[in-house]
Amino acid sequence: MSMHRKTITLTEQQDEWVKAQIENGYFGNDSEYIRDLIRRDQQTKERLYALRQALSDGESSGKPKRLDVSSIKATGRKLMMTEN
């Protein structure tokens, strides 16, 4: 994987925060911290996309059906019995 150098500007407070994360041993240097933030942001966006897709799929799956709790419990009991 090729690396690209970027220059960023932080406020004094932000810089102190990054330094504290490194001093406390969470990261080895500024770059590790920034890469971790980017990875977390990517994961958050991916989960949000998956959630939105699931909601969209659910909305387009047809008319909702009434929830039958006793049927769900019965199915769960049957599954428990087959596992034992």
Side-chain angles (χ1 to χ4, degrees):
M1 174 186 340
S2 67
M3 302 295 265
H4 299 273
R5 181 172 291 279
K6 300 284 183 190
T7 301
I8 63 169
T9 304
L10 302 174
T11 65
E12 186 174 334
Q13 181 185 20
Q14 291 168 333
D15 188 51
E16 292 300 320
W17 176 261
V18 172
K19 287 177 184 176
Q21 301 312 298
I22 296 164
E23 288 170 6
N24 288 322
Y26 298 118
F27 301 95
N29 57 46
D30 297 26
S31 293
E32 286 181 16
Y33 182 65
I34 299 300
R35 285 193 300 270
D36 184 66
L37 291 175
I38 292 169
R39 272 191 299 277
R40 289 176 191 227
D41 186 49
Q42 288 171 325
Q43 291 169 347
T44 298
K45 299 288 190 294
E46 289 168 3
R47 286 192 302 266
L48 185 57
Y49 173 79
L51 178 59
R52 286 182 173 150
Q53 188 62 47
L55 288 169
S56 177
D57 291 348
E59 288 175 343
S60 62
S61 68
K63 192 171 183 173
K65 298 175 185 168
R66 192 158 194 89
L67 183 64
D68 183 0
V69 176
S70 60
S71 174
I72 294 171
K73 287 180 181 180
T75 301
R77 286 186 188 107
K78 286 179 187 176
L79 288 172
M80 296 278 291
M81 296 298 261
T82 59
E83 290 178 2
N84 293 328

